[in-house]
Amino acid sequence: MADNVQTKNEEQPLPRMNAGTQLFEDLDANVSATEVESLCMRCEKNGKTKIMLTRIPHFKSIILMSFECPHCGLQNNEVQSGEALQEKGHRYEVKCTNKSDLSRQVVRNNSASVSIPEFEFTAPPAINSTLTTVEGLISRFIEDLSMDQEQRKEVVPEMYVAVEALLEKLRNALELPDEDGAKKPEHAFTMVVDDPSGNSYVENLCAPNVDPKLSIHYYRRTREQMIQLGMLNPDAEDIEQIEEQKKAQLNIREEMRAAENVMRAVKEASESNEILTFPANCSSCNLPCDTRMQMVNIPHFQEVIIMSTTCEKCGYKSNEVKCGGAISEKGKRITLVIEDKEDLSRDILKSETSSFKIPELDLDMLAGTLGGRFTTIEGLLRQVHDELDRRVPFLEGDSVAIDRRQKFQKFLGRLEDAADGKIFPLTITVDDPMAHSYIQNIYAPDPDPNMTTVLYERSFEQNEDLGLNDINVDNYAEEAVEETKAGDN
């Protein structure tokens, strides 16, 4: 992208955030680009840079930039993420065995590396972020590797031969069959997109269901990755880093004490039937809004906290449920057979750690989807319908295949019919490794003939995802007192 941006007085100024302005607007026909005069790095004359700050469903907030020089014809397009760093890094692994896999859309952030283990090939993080396809990524790799082949042939023949062998593998990777057969294709491969910032994305061709060829892994960033993202100072001494970590631990303990005070205030307000309101920022437009909180006691279960946020600026609404109490020793799997409309009115608490499945509708939602929800079964089905209709990526626009769009619309129609009570029976399975989910038993305290509950031992992978494998409670109270005294000194 051209540097040394110069803006004239008569040109439209760059957007600025203020109390009543939304910086990133939804992508539609009314969103206009801002034009600024920029220096061309080829001919050193002035060209035009168009900048658009917008939101798209699969990448949230992004910055689109396009430069064009009318004097020498230089053009340059760039996509940058406008999002904050995610809590954890993301690693996508997609198995490519046919032509449709090559057409998967990919959002590659500039912090993401791309590798193909079968070819022993790894591309480091790029200069710019891109929105492309698997085929587009491979074609770009082929183009970049082919640029200096003639010089390699003259100067370093051994490297020329090695790069040529890799280019042959990459070219063959683009010759996959139209459909999967009984045998694995000869040139099938696995593409891995590893982004420590968590702002990359690979299209799910089976949305809203789980894609058997696509897997997503979340991980904690290493020190090197944090330095790469600018989260740590690489020149700082190790002692300084240790001191910063100690301060951070003390801050965490202070935040825990503050959280305990908030919980105490919420409980006291709930006993007097009051609703607490505190200021927050909207997760959609980042403008100030109000969040309301109240503790609710669910009969035959436990106390939960219901939080609701409404933004008057952009109209965004959300509600979430947080479960309290100790961590259960075992996970819980609840299965309910819905036979009539009365069952749709049952209360259901789906925690943020639970998965949700309805085989009759081909609906399979992973843990973390929708967050925590306390509603009725009918209400949950409608929330799932609305979220999928608005937020499933790569199902709008000219690039989506007609059959995929029609299949998805048919699925949404069946989901709406189920919420309207037109499809029976339905089998709902809520699997929660933390055992914080709940479905109302209308026969309580007697057993429900249509509902079964199974307790099970969590697997190592489940404990790892929940962060339970790293918990150390040995002498925790004594260590906390010593660290507090050391901090005071």
Side-chain angles (χ1 to χ4, degrees):
M1 183 58 60
D3 297 329
N4 302 331
V5 176
Q6 302 170 352
T7 306
K8 291 184 177 180
N9 294 332
E10 66 270 20
E11 290 177 334
Q12 182 180 355
L14 289 172
R16 297 180 182 273
M17 174 65 76
N18 55 52
T21 302
Q22 185 173 324
L23 187 60
F24 292 88
E25 299 180 359
D26 292 332
L27 183 60
D28 57 33
N30 297 323
V31 178
S32 60
T34 300
E35 288 192 6
V36 295
E37 206 169 88
S38 308
L39 178 67
C40 176
M41 302 308 294
R42 176 187 289 177
C43 67
E44 297 187 354
K45 296 181 179 180
N46 284 341
K48 290 285 186 180
T49 295
K50 295 182 179 180
I51 303 175
M52 180 186 292
L53 308 181
T54 185
R55 287 202 310 257
I56 53 179
H58 58 283
F59 203 26
K60 295 187 179 179
S61 301
I62 64 169
I63 303 172
L64 302 176
M65 291 181 286
S66 174
F67 173 80
E68 183 175 1
C69 179
H71 306 287
C72 66
L74 175 64
Q75 293 181 344
N76 186 17
N77 300 318
E78 186 175 338
V79 180
Q80 290 188 4
S81 172
E83 284 296 307
L85 297 178
Q86 303 301 312
E87 183 178 351
K88 293 183 178 180
H90 295 177
R91 183 172 64 253
Y92 292 85
E93 297 182 6
V94 55
K95 299 178 181 178
C96 300
T97 58
N98 57 39
K99 289 286 187 182
S100 61
D101 293 323
L102 294 176
S103 64
R104 288 177 186 264
Q105 298 190 69
V106 179
V107 174
R108 183 192 182 189
N109 195 38
N110 57 4
S111 59
S113 63
V114 180
S115 62
I116 304 178
E118 291 86 349
F119 302 163
E120 297 182 355
F121 169 76
T122 300
I127 298 176
N128 302 325
S129 302
T130 55
L131 172 59
T132 180
T133 62
V134 172
E135 182 178 2
L137 278 175
I138 295 178
S139 299
R140 182 63 182 269
F141 297 152
I142 294 174
E143 180 183 346
D144 292 344
L145 290 171
S146 301
M147 287 179 60
D148 301 323
Q149 273 297 80
E150 292 301 324
Q151 288 136 347
R152 293 192 192 101
K153 187 175 183 181
E154 297 293 333
V155 180
V156 191
E158 299 83 1
M159 183 178 293
Y160 166 81
V161 174
V163 173
E164 196 62 34
L166 176 59
L167 285 171
E168 184 66 21
K169 294 179 181 178
L170 292 174
R171 295 188 186 102
N172 291 334
L174 300 179
E175 303 297 328
L176 294 177
D178 294 335
E179 296 180 357
D180 290 331
K183 295 183 179 180
K184 182 180 179 180
E186 180 181 358
H187 304 298
F189 62 93
T190 302
M191 177 172 284
V192 180
V193 180
D194 192 336
D195 186 3
S197 75
N199 286 328
S200 294
Y201 191 91
V202 178
E203 181 182 11
N204 177 359
L205 296 181
C206 301
N209 297 324
V210 177
D211 192 329
K213 295 183 180 180
L214 178 66
S215 60
I216 308 174
H217 306 276
Y218 304 94
Y219 60 88
R220 295 181 180 86
R221 301 181 185 92
T222 62
R223 186 176 186 275
E224 290 73 17
Q225 289 173 331
M226 296 177 74
I227 293 175
Q228 172 193 338
L229 296 174
M231 300 174 67
L232 289 179
N233 182 7
D235 299 327
E237 297 291 338
D238 291 339
I239 298 177
E240 295 180 7
Q241 297 285 355
I242 294 174
E243 291 298 327
E244 290 294 330
Q245 292 177 1
K246 288 183 177 179
K247 291 180 180 178
Q249 291 176 355
L250 291 175
N251 291 335
I252 291 175
R253 298 189 188 282
E254 292 176 0
E255 292 176 359
M256 292 176 63
R257 295 190 189 98
E260 291 176 357
N261 294 333
V262 171
M263 290 289 295
R264 191 178 300 110
V266 171
K267 192 168 185 178
E268 292 175 355
S270 300
E271 291 175 353
S272 58
N273 203 24
E274 295 180 4
I275 298 177
L276 289 183
T277 301
F278 57 91
N281 285 342
C282 175
S283 60
S284 179
C285 66
N286 203 36
L287 294 178
C289 63
D290 289 334
T291 295
R292 294 171 176 82
M293 177 187 298
Q294 186 176 32
M295 183 174 290
V296 176
N297 184 16
I298 301 178
H300 309 288
F301 188 55
Q302 64 183 34
E303 289 183 332
V304 298
I305 297 176
I306 299 179
M307 295 184 293
S308 175
T309 302
T310 302
C311 180
E312 297 180 355
K313 303 296 183 180
C314 68
Y316 175 78
K317 296 180 179 179
S318 71
N319 63 81
E320 193 170 356
V321 175
K322 296 292 185 180
C323 298
I327 298 175
S328 174
E329 294 183 0
K330 297 183 177 181
K332 181 188 292 186
R333 185 182 300 109
I334 306 173
T335 303
L336 172 67
V337 179
I338 300 177
E339 297 180 339
D340 51 40
K341 287 188 176 182
E342 184 179 354
D343 288 330
L344 292 174
S345 62
R346 290 176 185 246
D347 291 335
I348 180 171
L349 169 63
K350 191 197 83 65
S351 76
E352 57 187 1
T353 59
S354 66
S355 61
F356 182 73
K357 183 186 299 184
I358 304 179
E360 292 85 353
L361 301 178
D362 292 329
L363 175 64
D364 191 354
M365 301 180 65
L366 300 177
T369 309
L370 286 180
R373 290 290 187 270
F374 181 43
T375 178
T376 62
I377 293 177
E378 177 187 354
L380 183 60
L381 292 176
R382 297 196 185 280
Q383 289 179 11
V384 171
H385 175 278
D386 294 342
E387 287 290 321
L388 293 177
D389 192 22
R390 292 198 310 264
R391 297 179 179 271
V392 170
F394 300 124
L395 284 175
E396 297 293 338
D398 300 333
S399 62
V400 65
I402 297 178
D403 57 338
R404 284 194 63 211
R405 182 184 296 161
Q406 291 176 344
K407 180 180 178 182
F408 185 70
Q409 292 299 328
K410 182 180 179 181
F411 167 81
L412 290 179
R414 283 181 53 80
L415 192 58
E416 189 172 9
D417 289 341
D420 292 337
K422 299 178 180 179
I423 301 178
F424 294 111
L426 294 174
T427 304
I428 291 181
T429 302
V430 179
D431 192 337
D432 189 352
M434 294 286 283
H436 283 164
S437 294
Y438 159 87
I439 297 180
Q440 181 184 10
N441 177 5
I442 58 178
Y443 297 92
D446 297 327
D448 192 325
N450 293 334
M451 185 166 60
T452 58
T453 301
V454 178
L455 299 177
Y456 62 88
E457 296 288 342
R458 285 187 292 265
S459 64
F460 178 86
E461 290 76 14
Q462 288 175 321
N463 285 330
E464 184 70 18
D465 292 338
L466 297 170
L468 301 180
N469 291 333
D470 299 327
I471 292 180
N472 180 17
V473 296
D474 295 337
N475 302 322
Y476 182 77
E478 290 80 358
E479 292 179 1
V481 173
E482 292 176 2
E483 290 181 1
T484 303
K485 291 181 179 179
D488 294 337
N489 297 330

